[in-house]
Amino acid sequence: MSPARELLTVPNLLSLLRLAGVPVFLWLLLGPREDEWALALLVFGGFTDWLDGKLARLLNQTSRVGQILDPAADRLYIMTALLAFLLRDIVPTSIVLTLFAREVAVGVALLVLRRAGFAPPEVTYVGKAATFTLMYALPLLLITKGDSAFAEAARPFAFAFTVWGAVLYLWSAALYVWQVASAVVGRRGG
């Protein structure tokens, strides 16, 4: 399948739509502070994240492009939301720095892996669970910024999902770095 044709599948178009929503999401949070619209866009992004995976399998439209676009959109939403939430005092600096450090560690591991001539390893269940958990945490964190009874009720769930998602995110990074180190050391030893 040609690269252009591979790009123009329903799941990949949904991923591209999610990617296009990232700057709009950031602008809504930091510009006019339209939290309700930002929340709607975040929920839409989470729904299309789930939907593109389901459609890729259902329509037999899985592709290498989709395997790059989908996690890229997830990471951009997570990192963008965390940055905006940090600037708006919704999450503590320690959470943001920890999750950003995770991204740097995984990025370096990926560069080492590519330099050694390996393809990236498959996404792990822990990594998927981490992303899923953080995608629940982010809208809940945004909801907690309000002063309604619903915002108050959402607060413990938001922080629980955030902590659990961060732990899973770090665990998935450790697994990823371990896979990379094992592959590179194994190649040198073999």
Side-chain angles (χ1 to χ4, degrees), residues 22-68:
V22 171
V24 176
F25 173 73
L26 185 61
W27 175 78
L28 287 168
L29 284 173
L30 298 178
R33 292 191 178 207
E34 292 287 343
D35 291 353
E36 294 82 11
W37 284 106
L39 178 63
L41 190 55
L42 189 58
V43 169
F44 176 76
F47 175 72
T48 57
D49 181 31
W50 170 82
L51 186 61
D52 71 11
K54 290 291 183 196
L55 288 175
R57 288 183 290 282
L58 182 69
L59 302 173
N60 196 26
Q61 293 184 342
T62 56
S63 68
R64 182 68 192 133
V65 171
Q67 291 171 341
I68 293 168

Side-chain angles (χ1 to χ4, degrees), residues 143-157:
I143 288 169
T144 66
K145 199 62 179 162
D147 55 1
S148 67
F150 185 68
E152 191 64 33
R155 197 161 282 118
F157 295 101

Side-chain angles (χ1 to χ4, degrees), residues 1-189:
M1 185 183 296
S2 73
R5 189 171 181 129
E6 188 174 305
L7 181 63
L8 297 177
T9 64
V10 173
N12 290 347
L13 291 173
L14 286 173
S15 291
L16 288 170
L17 185 61
R18 270 191 9 251
L19 281 169
V22 171
V24 176
F25 173 73
L26 185 61
W27 175 78
L28 287 168
L29 284 173
L30 298 178
R33 292 191 178 207
E34 292 287 343
D35 291 353
E36 294 82 11
W37 284 106
L39 178 63
L41 190 55
L42 189 58
V43 169
F44 176 76
F47 175 72
T48 57
D49 181 31
W50 170 82
L51 186 61
D52 71 11
K54 290 291 183 196
L55 288 175
R57 288 183 290 282
L58 182 69
L59 302 173
N60 196 26
Q61 293 184 342
T62 56
S63 68
R64 182 68 192 133
V65 171
Q67 291 171 341
I68 293 168
L69 283 177
D70 184 52
D74 293 342
R75 283 194 174 97
L76 279 174
Y77 261 108
I78 290 169
M79 293 299 113
T80 300
L82 288 172
L83 178 63
F85 290 179
L86 175 66
L87 294 173
R88 297 226 1 231
D89 291 324
I90 297 173
V91 294
T93 304
S94 59
I95 294 282
V96 175
L97 291 178
T98 300
L99 295 180
F100 271 62
R102 182 260 190 211
E103 289 301 319
V104 170
V106 169
V108 168
L110 183 58
L111 290 174
V112 168
L113 196 63
R114 285 198 179 160
R115 187 166 175 89
F118 290 100
E122 292 293 318
V123 175
T124 64
Y125 176 76
V126 174
K128 288 181 181 186
T131 301
F132 180 79
T133 305
L134 287 173
M135 288 299 210
Y136 268 93
L138 297 174
L140 288 169
L141 285 167
L142 191 54
I143 288 169
T144 66
K145 199 62 179 162
D147 55 1
S148 67
F150 185 68
E152 191 64 33
R155 197 161 282 118
F157 295 101
F159 291 117
F161 273 104
T162 302
V163 169
W164 184 237
V167 168
L168 288 173
Y169 217 52
L170 293 173
W171 182 16
S172 71
L175 292 174
Y176 190 75
V177 169
W178 176 260
Q179 287 176 320
V180 170
S182 297
V184 171
V185 169
R187 169 161 292 170
R188 286 185 186 152

